Amino acid sequence: MPTPSMEDYLERIYKLIDEKGYARVSDIAEGLEVHPSSVTKMIQKLDKDQYLIYEKYRGLVLTSKGKKIGKRLVDRHQLLEDFLTTIGVQEDLIYQDVEGIEHHLSWNSITCIEALVAYFNQDPTRIADLRRIQSELDNDS
């Protein structure tokens, strides 16, 4: 299983390849706000662990294992953004909050959150009820 740092790289690489068709060291470094040398070291580790195939000066390709994990991580991130939006977290806090919690939740918790988001989305009155309760709590404070 990849470490949280490896997950960040795999998620970013997967997104870049999905969006652009390729992932360059400079794009990964920019997206993760790290030095290119750090990216190169991590890419070599991900290559060793068979998440991707890296050829110096030629680029990288995710293996089926890397694609599977990358997609799962991107989906997890999106689900957590949807969850925080659903429960009413301020939009300007969502990305930072997701980055702070995504590596600390079990996959069982992720599955439960997925069911909860689906529950709220099945009936818009549920979200309205949640907003009413939140408003009442805000007024009590």
Side-chain angles (χ1 to χ4, degrees):
M1 201 64 202
T3 65
S5 180
M6 291 166 78
E7 286 183 348
D8 285 339
Y9 278 86
L10 286 167
E11 181 181 356
R12 185 71 192 136
I13 291 166
Y14 183 89
K15 284 176 74 172
L16 282 167
I17 291 173
D18 188 50
E19 293 166 4
K20 297 173 124 181
Y22 59 89
R24 296 183 311 196
V25 168
S26 59
D27 295 329
I28 298 165
E30 181 181 328
L32 295 175
E33 298 177 351
V34 297
H35 292 283
S37 60
S38 298
V39 174
T40 301
K41 286 177 189 170
M42 181 58 80
I43 286 174
Q44 290 167 344
K45 181 166 180 38
L46 292 169
D47 182 34
K48 181 178 151 276
D49 291 348
Q50 301 177 341
Y51 290 105
L52 56 81
I53 298 167
Y54 174 63
E55 294 180 24
K56 198 171 184 179
Y57 307 116
R58 297 203 56 183
L60 58 92
V61 177
L62 288 171
T63 62
S64 59
K65 175 182 172 181
K67 286 179 189 174
K68 181 180 176 184
I69 298 281
K71 179 170 180 10
R72 190 173 185 196
L73 296 170
V74 168
D75 291 348
R76 175 184 71 184
H77 189 101
Q78 185 59 54
L79 171 67
L80 291 172
E81 283 189 10
D82 293 346
F83 172 66
L84 295 180
T85 299
T86 299
I87 64 171
V89 173
Q90 294 174 2
E91 190 174 330
D92 61 326
L93 301 174
I94 290 175
Y95 182 82
Q96 182 178 345
D97 285 353
V98 169
E99 288 297 313
I101 65 173
E102 67 184 339
H103 301 296
H104 302 285
L105 294 172
S106 68
W107 286 104
N108 179 255
S109 293
I110 297 295
T111 300
C112 292
I113 289 170
E114 185 174 27
L116 185 61
V117 169
Y119 171 80
F120 277 109
N121 288 334
Q122 284 176 352
D123 183 351
T125 62
R126 293 172 180 159
I127 293 176
D129 287 344
L130 176 63
R131 297 289 180 264
R132 180 184 50 76
I133 292 167
Q134 288 171 324
S135 178
E136 290 170 4
L137 291 173
D138 284 344
N139 291 335
D140 290 344
S141 332

